Amino acid sequence: MTNTALITGANKGLGFEAARRLGELGWTVYVGSRDVGRGEEAVARLRAGGADAVLVPLDVTSDESVAAAVDLVRADALDVLINNAGFGGHGIAPASVTAEELHAVYDTNVYGVVRVTNGFLPLLRKSANPRVVNISSGGGSFAVITDPAQPIASMHELAYSSSKAALNMITVRYAQAMPEVKFNVATPGETVNHKFAATDMNGHRGQLTVTEGTDSILRLALIDADGPTATFEDRLGPLAW
Ligand code: NAP
């Protein structure tokens, strides 16, 4: 039977590359995109490369959009959900940040993941080996943020890093509550080498390709039925929370 995955924010960047790589493996890939035009363009590129790609209009900040996406995919079991859509916010320091900024970042990176996960859980439960991969960041790790050798330790922003820390905790809490579904966290970079993947989110300043950046995502998407749950991994392996 064909494996199926839904990837949020798959119209570009790491989400698109994860869709391309799963398509290459023969999976049916549901391509989440909040903008239909950008999503159609991405699906056309994926299909041109031979992938079985299906557009799923999906804005993770909207309950209605998530419900419509669930209806669209409803016919199938879903083997893997990749919560990839992310918003970096505006890099505002703690003393200047506003509740509006926090809300905008959390709405995508935190509440969005819960909306989408809870919406798709009934479809995941139809799979023999359901897996959820949440895309976080080294910035969501207390171990990384408190390491003075990490550049991010001296970048004084609040919204994005704390949203990813919340996402890490959310992943562990889901994993504990639902052992029959695997919930893991992937971060795209090589944290110890201070490397991340070049995408629009970072102005393409990353040193890794999107293919390298999706290695941890693919690894956790492809775990088998006795694979891990509640882990946090980057490209090189397990990462401290
Ligand atoms: P990107 O190229 O900017 O892609 C972000 C994707 O998220 C886009 O498809 C974007 O859609 C989508 N998105 C944003 N808000 C959304 C919403 N409300 N609903 C649905 N989709 C939404 O950035 P990226 O680097 O590939 O980021 C992917 C994930 O990796 C993010 O969660 C990010 O935090 C994480 N990450 C990346 C790196 C890295 O090395 N690049 C490092 C750490 C973590 P639009 O095109 O419509 O804006």
Side-chain angles (χ1 to χ4, degrees):
M1 222 166 72
T2 309
N3 290 299
T4 55
L6 168 71
I7 306 171
T8 64
N11 56 289
K12 67 176 182 179
L14 296 165
F16 179 87
E17 179 63 4
R20 190 194 67 73
R21 292 180 70 178
L22 289 173
E24 207 170 62
L25 295 175
W27 286 46
T28 295
V29 186
Y30 293 100
V31 176
S33 175
R34 63 176 160 179
D35 180 273
V36 171
R38 289 195 285 274
E40 284 173 343
E41 195 265 339
V43 165
R45 279 167 54 212
L46 290 164
R47 286 187 183 158
D52 180 19
V54 179
L55 174 63
V56 178
L58 177 51
D59 181 340
V60 304
T61 65
S62 158
D63 289 335
E64 293 71 29
S65 178
V66 172
V70 173
D71 276 345
L72 204 154
V73 182
R74 191 173 294 281
D76 295 291
L78 187 65
D79 296 303
V80 171
L81 167 64
I82 301 179
N83 283 306
N84 164 79
F87 176 41
H90 302 92
I92 304 172
S96 310
V97 80
T98 60
E100 287 73 20
E101 167 78 359
L102 281 169
H103 178 72
V105 173
Y106 279 51
D107 208 9
T108 300
N109 299 359
V110 181
Y111 317 145
V113 171
V114 174
R115 275 187 199 101
V116 173
T117 301
N118 287 354
F120 281 94
L121 267 174
L123 295 184
L124 285 160
R125 288 186 188 285
K126 292 185 188 177
S127 165
N129 178 23
R131 287 147 279 173
V132 177
V133 184
N134 290 334
I135 313 308
S136 185
S137 165
S141 158
F142 283 85
V144 171
I145 283 285
T146 55
D147 175 359
Q150 287 285 348
I152 197 161
S154 51
M155 286 168 52
H156 302 302
E157 78 81 46
L158 192 67
Y160 180 76
S161 51
S162 65
S163 76
K164 294 297 192 180
L167 176 59
N168 289 1
M169 179 63 82
I170 282 168
T171 309
V172 172
R173 298 302 279 163
Y174 270 101
Q176 291 171 330
M178 274 169 254
E180 67 281 12
V181 181
K182 304 214 167 42
F183 289 89
N184 290 290
V185 184
T187 179
E190 293 181 6
T191 312
V192 71
N193 297 324
H194 309 165
K195 287 185 177 174
F196 47 98
T199 64
D200 285 353
M201 187 175 281
N202 50 53
H204 292 265
R205 287 189 306 275
Q207 309 85 340
L208 301 177
T209 65
V210 285
T211 308
E212 292 167 329
T214 50
D215 281 349
S216 57
I217 302 172
L218 266 283
R219 198 168 60 232
L220 288 168
L222 297 175
I223 56 175
D224 54 28
D226 57 6
T229 193
T231 66
F232 183 22
E233 298 188 16
D234 74 359
R235 181 162 188 257
L236 302 176
L239 196 65
W241 296 104

